[in-house]
Amino acid sequence: MVNTPEELASWLRLALTPGVGPETARRLLAAWGQPSAIFEQTETALRQVVSALQAQALCEAPPGWRELSEDTWRWLQASTEPGIARALITLGDPDYPAALLEIPDPPLMLYALGQIGALRQLDIGQSVAMVGSRNPTPQGLINAREFARSLATSGLTIVSGLALGVDGAAHEGALLGAAVLGWGGALPTIAVVGTGLDRVYPRQHRDLAHQIVQRGIILSEYPLGTPPLAPNFPRRNRLISGLSQATLVVEAALQSGSLITAKQALEQGRDVMAIPGSIHATQSKGCHLLIKQGAKLVESAQDVLEELHWPGHVAQVQLAFTSTIEDLPEDELLTALGHDPVSLDALQARCGLPTARLQAQLLELELLGQVARLPGGLFQRMGSA
């Protein structure tokens, strides 16, 4: 992680230099070790590694570089809620995800927000990417949420892109699954986004993004201030698949960006799985094409675990969750909350639910916008006086 304004400035200068892409930047780093050393070289020395035009560009400060460096340093130093960290993780840093070092074009830098310490322990074998349509069928949304919840209860990390539709449902399901386990075990979810981390896109997922950084991580390779530019999203997909042992496509049309992710997963040597659907549904045609091309057809979360040779079984956890889901209807839980902020312990004393079950139901209500999580571990009904 960058620790000084000077270190940050040198990395950003390398990333922003016109005509110097990630591959060229890696060659320069291989030659001189650190960005600061690169910018100490003469143009003649630089020409031994890069073209004359690139060497000339490296000797000039990129437009807006200093301002962006200052803004980024302020963002890194800005206070956040307790337990939520901000970091800029550079290639070669001990906290850089090892899985991304295996792909052909790892990003020079990763902006990270959330439970960043978990990145170092993240093993590719415990992550599954879930992608699909931004306009899924109702069944597609259910499948995404339930598969993610079941896989999360088995200790897997769900990686997706925070987009509308399947992505959002996958993140929600992963958070619900982790809540069932009382937030123990693996990192529940990682969102890889196509904008700077100083903004949330789409805006409808602002609350979901807040939930993710409470328990998981949001990552981006794009500088602060980067808007939702169309080319950024297909490019970031290589990171979604690269962080994961397998990519599960829930629903996808034939021209879906999810098929790009699946293609990148195959190129990275990762597994690809797909959930079949109706032969009459446009959103199923991409999945059916992948299955024809050799993707693993999966009908349950257990199929995914077996394909990954993951220890354990989801059926008992699913049964336990299902058997308690009706223990306290939502209206009764809202009544137990009352109209003033209340702690988890006090609420548990009122309703008598086990901690993990209560946390899961509260999270469901948060995602529905009916309950707000307040500082100090308090909860309150939305709209309460």
Side-chain angles (χ1 to χ4, degrees), residues 140-142 144-146 148 163-174 205 208:
L141 277 178
I142 293 171
R145 190 173 289 111
E146 292 307 310
L164 294 174
V166 165
D167 286 18
H171 291 305
E172 291 172 0
H205 280 170
L208 177 57

Side-chain angles (χ1 to χ4, degrees), residues 29-187:
L29 291 170
W32 286 291
Q34 292 293 327
S36 56
I38 295 170
F39 297 114
E40 294 172 355
Q41 307 305 312
T42 64
E43 186 173 336
T44 301
L46 291 169
R47 287 184 182 181
Q48 304 303 309
V49 178
V50 298
S51 71
L53 286 176
Q54 289 170 327
Q56 183 180 5
L58 287 163
C59 292
E60 302 173 0
W65 157 62
R66 289 198 178 279
E67 293 82 357
L68 180 60
S69 298
E70 293 169 359
D71 290 344
T72 304
W73 183 253
R74 281 194 292 268
W75 180 81
L76 289 170
Q77 300 303 307
S79 61
T80 58
E81 294 182 41
I84 300 176
R86 299 178 177 187
L88 181 54
I89 305 169
T90 58
L91 194 65
D93 188 282
D95 289 311
Y96 194 94
L100 294 183
L101 298 176
E102 300 175 6
I103 68 175
D105 52 350
L108 284 182
M109 300 181 292
L110 284 171
Y111 298 77
L113 179 63
Q115 309 306 306
I116 298 169
L119 272 180
R120 185 178 294 188
Q121 286 76 42
L122 184 67
D123 188 316
I124 185 175
Q126 70 186 51
S127 300
V128 174
M130 287 186 60
V131 296
S133 174
R134 285 175 169 80
N135 297 290
T137 65
Q139 186 60 54
L141 277 178
I142 293 171
N143 288 344
R145 190 173 289 111
E146 292 307 310
F147 267 73
R149 179 160 63 181
S150 295
L151 294 174
T153 60
S154 298
L156 288 167
T157 299
I158 304 302
V159 184
S160 198
L162 198 62
L164 294 174
V166 165
D167 286 18
H171 291 305
E172 291 172 0
L175 291 170
L176 290 169
V180 171
L181 298 180
W183 304 109
L187 189 72

Side-chain angles (χ1 to χ4, degrees), residues 124 127-132 151 159-160 237-250 257-266 268-275 290 295-296 298 304 307-308:
I124 185 175
S127 300
V128 174
M130 287 186 60
V131 296
L151 294 174
V159 184
S160 198
N237 289 353
R238 80 192 193 287
L239 305 184
I240 295 175
S241 58
L243 284 166
S244 312
Q245 181 178 351
T247 292
L248 173 61
V249 183
V250 178
S258 301
L259 298 191
I260 297 175
T261 310
K263 180 176 182 292
Q264 291 170 330
L266 290 172
Q268 295 164 348
R270 313 298 203 241
D271 298 324
V272 175
M273 309 176 195
I275 299 175
L290 290 173
K296 171 72 175 180
V298 298
V304 177
E307 184 69 12
L308 298 179

